[in-house]
Amino acid sequence: VAAALGAPRALVPDAALALRNPSWEGAAARILIVRLSPFRDVDRSSSHLLLFSETRAALPEAFIDFAFLPDRRDREILATSAEPGEGPRPWFYGLASLRGPDHFDLVLVSCAFGLELINLAWLFTTSGLPLRASQRRGAAALPLVILGGSAAAATGPLVVDAGDSMIDGLFVGEGEGLIGPLAALLSRRDRTPASRLEEARALPGFMAFPFPPGESPSVAPRRLPSSPPPLLTPPALNSDEAATARLQITAGCPGLCSFCFEGWDRRPYRELPYAEVLVAARALKRATGAVCLEVYSFNFNTHEDIAPLIFELGRIFRRVNLMSQRLDILAGLPSLVAAELAADKRSFTLGIEGISARMRAFYRKGLAEEELERLFDLLLVRGIKELKLFYIIAGLETAEDCEDFASFMLALGARRDNQAPGLRILVSAGFLVRLPRTPLQYAPLALDEEPLRKIARRMEASCAAIQAEFRLAVHFDEYCVDQVLALGDGRLLPWLEATPSQGQVYDGGLSRGVWPSLKAAAREAALLDPVFLGEKDETYRPPLFFLESDPDLLWREYRAARAGKDREACLGEACCGCGACPDADSITFITGHKSKAPEAALVEKIAKLTAAKAGFEPLLVSVDLPPELAGATPAYMGAWLTRRLLAHAADAELFLFESREALFSDGSLLGLPQGFTGRTVFALYGPRPDRLLALARAEGLEPLSSLPRVRKARLALVLSQDDDEALAGFRGFLARAHVTGTEYAEKTGRRFVVSARDEKKAIVHEASFAFGGGSVAVDLVLGFKARLSDWLEAGPSASVRVLELGL
Ligand code: SF4
Ligand code: SF4
C-alpha cells in the first residue's frame, strides 16, 4: 500500500536519512508533525519545517515524523486497501514510520487557516483515538494532540465553554525558541499525560484542555520582542519546491488594516537587521542548496534596508522572489520600483482591497487616492508585464462605490493604453471574512449570496470594459464555511467531530454539501442568531474567551472604520497613540523607521548583477546520483548537489548559484521518468568558472567539455509488478515500437535478444528480466531513440538507475 501512495514520495531515502531519526524502537520519544492539507498544497510553507527543526534541536534522540492530509487519490487507496474486519487505515500516518498518530507520544498539528479545521477529526477517527481531550485523559498511552499555527487564535469551534476540546492543548503566538522545550516536556514518557499538560500550562501562549472544573483561565499569545530568529536548517522534503528557501525578514505589519488577522495577531512590527539577514541567507543557502530565495514578510518593502538587501541577496541566490509589498511605501519611493525592475521583477501584486476610497477607509488601508495615482504612474511603464490587483468584497459596498470602481478602471485602462500597451491587468476579488481579534469582528456578517454576487458582477463588467481579467478568488460556500467557523464557538464542535461520518473534507475545495450541513448544525445550535449575524456592540467577545485580546482597542478601531476614517500611517511618522504597540520600544522603532530610497548607483549595480546572472556559462560535470535519490524531483536533485559542493570551501555559496540536471530531466533523451538515479550530467552555474571548477574537482566530479551524445544507455530497472505483468508490459512496449526479437527462458527470468534488423532502430538493444523477491529487476540497454515513458507511464511504479552512458 505504501508504495502506491503519493505522499511518502515527499521523503525520498536521502530526505528520510536527513531527518536523523533513531530506530523506532530505540527512540527516546516519538513525535508526529501534522499538516491538515495535502503535501502538494503546503510544500511552499515553512511551519512544519520550523516545528521539525526546533523539535530536533531539543530532542536529538526522538523519532520525528511528518504527516499530511492524504490527497483524493491517496484517500481512495487508503479506503480500498483496508483489511476486512480491521478499522480504517490512518489518514495521518507518518511518512517515515508509516505509523498512525496513536503510535506517537505527541502530535503537533499546524493549522494555517480556518477551513483546515474540517479535516481535524479525521486525525482521530481514522486512528481510533477518542475525539475529546476529556475522553483521552483517562486512557493510558495515548498521544497528546497540540494545535498551533498561524490560525490558532481563530479556532473557536474547537473548545466548548466548559473547557473540553478535540485537542489537548493550544499554542498561540510565536513559537520560535519555545517549540523545542514544549515538545520535550509534552513527550516525556516518565510522566502521565495529565501531569505533562499541567506543567506546560506555565509556558507562555499555551492552554491545556480540559480546564479544571470551575476554573476560568487566561492566556496571552506569545510575542517575541524582536523579529523571530530565522529558520536556517529546514529539513529537505522532496517536491518541485525543494530548490526554494524561505527567509523571514520582518514580523508583523505596521499597517493594521481593520480586516487583517495576520496584522493584528502578529503585532507589533519588527525587522531582522540587515546584517543578520545576510548572515542568515548565506547559512540558509549552504544548508538547503536552494536556487531561489523567497523573502518572507507580510510586506517586504517595509524593511528599512530592502534596496541593499535586493542587491546583496541577489549575490547569494540566483533568484530572489519578492512577493507582496505595501503600496503607500512603493508610491513614496519611486527608485524602489526602479530597483525592483532592475532585479527583473516583472509582475507586481497590489492589495488595494477596497473598491472605492470609502471602502479603503473602512478597511483602514491608509492608502490615499493620490498615492494610488502616483503608484500607477510608476507602474504603467514598459518592462512591467503584469499587474495583479486584489480586492475584497464586504457586501457593504453601495452603488456609488461600484461607480467609483468603474471610473477607476476606465482611467486605468486609458493610461495603460497610452503608457504601457500590452500590460496584463488581473483583478482578483474575495469576500470579506470578519475575523476574530480584528476590528471587523464587530461588523455585521454577509451570508446572502446575491448581494455579494451583484457587486462581483459589476466589478467584472468594469474590468471587461478595459479588457482586464477578473477572477472571483473564492467559492461562496467556502467563504460562508470559513466565516462561520472563524467566529463560531464550541457549539460547532459536534459538527466538526462529525465531518468523518459525513465524508466531509477540505483539500483545496470543499466536499459537496458542507455549507448546507454546517448551516443546519449552526442553526440547530442556536448560533445563527441576530447577535451572531448582526453588528456587534462593544461588549462582544470572540470565542476562545480565555485568550487575551484588546477589546477597547479593537472597538475604537472598528468605530473609526465604520465612520470612514482611514488609518494614519505611523511607520517613520508620529505615533497617533492607537494602542497597538505593547511597549515604548516598539513605538520608538516604528516611528523612527526610515525607508531608504535606493540611489541610482545601487539600481545600476542591481541591473548589472541581473544581467551577469542571465549570462552565466554552465560548467558541465558528470555525476553519479546515488540510489538514495530515487524518486527525487529535478529541484531536489539540484539542491542536493549544490549542498554537497558547498561543503568544500568557505564562501562557496557566493560562487555556486545553481546545479541543474542537464541530460534527462527535460524528457527529450530516453524518456526517463522523474526520479531516476545513476549516471548523468549536471550544469553548474556561477559567476567565476575557476571557482566552479575547483568546487567540482574537490567533490571528485569530472568536468565535461560538452554534453555527451548518448547513443546507448544501460539501465537497471526495478518494477513493482508480478512477473507476468512485467513481461506483458515490456512485450507491449516492443510491439508498439515495432521491435522484434527472440525471448529466451532463463533459470530465474527471461532474456530478450533484439533482431539484427531492429537493432538499427536504436530503441532497444538488450533486456534481461530477473524474477523473485516480490519485484522484477530488469537489465536494459536502450538506444537513443527509445522513450522509456512509453512503457512505464502506462503501468508499474519503477525505480530507474542509469548504469552506463554512451556505450
Ligand atoms: S498591509 Fe497587508 S499585511 Fe499589513 S495589515 Fe494591511 S492587509 Fe495586513
Ligand atoms: S501605538 Fe503608535 S506606533 Fe504603535 S501602531 Fe499605534 S500608532 Fe503606530
Side-chain angles (χ1 to χ4, degrees), residues 303-583:
H303 198 290
E304 275 194 347
D305 294 301
I306 189 60
L309 280 177
I310 291 174
F311 176 67
E312 290 296 340
L313 294 175
R315 290 180 61 223
I316 303 168
F317 288 90
R318 183 146 203 192
R319 285 189 292 283
V320 177
N321 270 1
L322 303 163
M323 312 298 275
S324 54
Q325 52 189 327
R326 274 195 65 100
L327 309 191
D328 51 345
I329 293 179
L330 196 61
L333 293 176
S335 60
L336 184 58
V337 178
E340 291 180 35
L341 276 169
D344 212 23
K345 187 167 172 62
R346 294 288 174 264
S347 171
F348 283 72
T349 299
L350 310 176
I352 300 177
E353 325 295 10
I355 65 169
S356 64
R358 188 186 79 89
M359 287 309 296
R360 284 194 291 281
F362 178 69
Y363 294 144
R364 310 266 287 158
K365 273 303 290 180
L367 184 60
E369 205 77 1
E370 317 79 72
E371 280 170 328
L372 260 186
E373 284 286 314
R374 241 181 298 141
L375 191 65
F376 284 107
D377 275 341
L378 294 169
L379 296 180
L380 291 169
V381 292
R382 282 178 206 281
I384 296 184
K385 292 194 177 129
E386 185 178 74
L387 294 183
K388 293 182 186 162
L389 313 183
F390 282 82
Y391 289 91
I392 307 175
I393 300 172
L396 304 171
E397 291 80 357
T398 60
E400 277 127 47
D401 294 319
C402 293
E403 276 155 28
D404 278 4
F405 180 73
S407 319
F408 169 75
M409 290 310 282
L410 279 179
L412 181 63
R415 287 170 71 179
R416 175 206 51 198
D417 295 346
N418 280 335
Q419 293 165 229
L423 174 90
R424 189 170 174 219
I425 299 177
L426 289 109
V427 172
S428 179
F431 299 132
L432 173 75
V433 177
R434 285 75 163 157
L435 288 164
R437 298 180 171 78
T438 69
L440 292 194
Q441 66 179 358
Y442 301 100
L445 305 195
L447 297 178
D448 289 335
E449 187 167 7
E450 187 44 34
L452 295 170
R453 289 236 173 256
K454 197 169 154 198
I455 298 160
R457 280 197 298 272
R458 292 194 65 170
M459 289 179 73
E460 188 169 14
S462 303
C463 292
I466 66 154
Q467 292 85 46
E469 293 162 50
F470 176 82
R471 189 174 76 95
L472 202 49
V474 67
H475 290 290
F476 177 74
D477 277 19
E478 255 171 61
Y479 152 73
C480 291
V481 172
D482 201 4
Q483 176 64 82
V484 171
L485 291 180
L487 287 185
D489 56 28
R491 284 173 282 177
L492 296 179
L493 186 56
W495 182 82
L496 279 182
E497 289 170 335
T499 54
S501 60
Q502 303 292 321
Q504 291 162 343
V505 179
Y506 178 81
D507 71 350
L510 285 175
S511 20
R512 198 171 308 161
V514 174
W515 171 227
S517 153
L518 175 61
K519 188 159 51 174
R523 277 216 180 102
E524 202 172 311
L527 182 72
L528 297 185
D529 60 7
V531 176
F532 184 78
L533 296 171
E535 187 177 41
K536 285 105 185 137
D537 66 21
E538 69 264 49
T539 61
Y540 171 78
R541 297 292 177 269
L544 301 183
F545 66 88
F546 51 83
L547 205 53
E548 288 175 12
S549 64
D550 299 297
D552 296 342
L553 165 65
L554 296 179
W555 177 247
R556 271 199 312 275
E557 288 282 322
Y558 175 63
R559 284 175 49 104
R562 199 179 52 170
K565 276 199 224 147
D566 209 340
R567 199 181 154 85
E568 284 173 38
C570 56
L571 192 68
E573 314 220 357
C575 169
C576 53
C578 82
C581 283
D583 50 42

Side-chain angles (χ1 to χ4, degrees), residues 252-264 298-299 326 353 363-365:
C253 175
L256 298 174
C257 303
S258 58
F259 60 88
C260 180
F261 182 75
E262 290 81 5
W264 286 93
F298 291 148
N299 294 290
R326 274 195 65 100
E353 325 295 10
Y363 294 144
R364 310 266 287 158
K365 273 303 290 180

Side-chain angles (χ1 to χ4, degrees), residues 519-717:
K519 188 159 51 174
R523 277 216 180 102
E524 202 172 311
L527 182 72
L528 297 185
D529 60 7
V531 176
F532 184 78
L533 296 171
E535 187 177 41
K536 285 105 185 137
D537 66 21
E538 69 264 49
T539 61
Y540 171 78
R541 297 292 177 269
L544 301 183
F545 66 88
F546 51 83
L547 205 53
E548 288 175 12
S549 64
D550 299 297
D552 296 342
L553 165 65
L554 296 179
W555 177 247
R556 271 199 312 275
E557 288 282 322
Y558 175 63
R559 284 175 49 104
R562 199 179 52 170
K565 276 199 224 147
D566 209 340
R567 199 181 154 85
E568 284 173 38
C570 56
L571 192 68
E573 314 220 357
C575 169
C576 53
C578 82
C581 283
D583 50 42
D585 285 352
S586 306
I587 295 176
T588 306
F589 171 71
I590 290 178
T591 53
H593 185 279
K594 289 198 176 33
S595 292
K596 295 170 196 147
E599 293 180 356
L602 179 58
V603 174
E604 199 177 314
K605 269 166 66 177
I606 295 171
K608 276 192 183 148
L609 178 65
T610 305
K613 288 197 283 190
F616 284 164
E617 287 295 330
L619 171 71
L620 299 173
V621 290
S622 174
V623 175
D624 193 357
L625 295 172
E628 292 76 42
L629 289 179
T633 59
Y636 190 97
M637 284 178 189
W640 167 85
L641 184 59
T642 299
R643 285 197 295 273
R644 283 183 58 183
L645 291 165
L646 294 187
H648 290 289
D651 297 341
E653 65 274 12
L654 298 178
F655 299 105
L656 173 59
F657 277 59
E658 183 172 10
S659 309
R660 193 191 300 162
E661 201 280 331
L663 213 46
F664 298 113
S665 292
D666 70 359
S668 56
L669 180 63
L670 303 184
L672 295 196
Q674 180 173 293
F676 69 91
T677 61
R679 308 287 329 169
T680 183
V681 175
F682 271 73
L684 308 182
Y685 296 88
R688 294 261 307 269
D690 57 329
R691 297 296 299 259
L692 284 184
L693 197 58
L695 289 177
R697 291 224 161 100
E699 182 59 22
L701 301 182
E702 180 200 343
L704 303 170
S705 54
S706 61
L707 270 184
R709 280 190 70 206
V710 177
R711 310 295 304 172
K712 287 182 181 179
R714 179 180 290 279
L715 310 179
L717 272 55

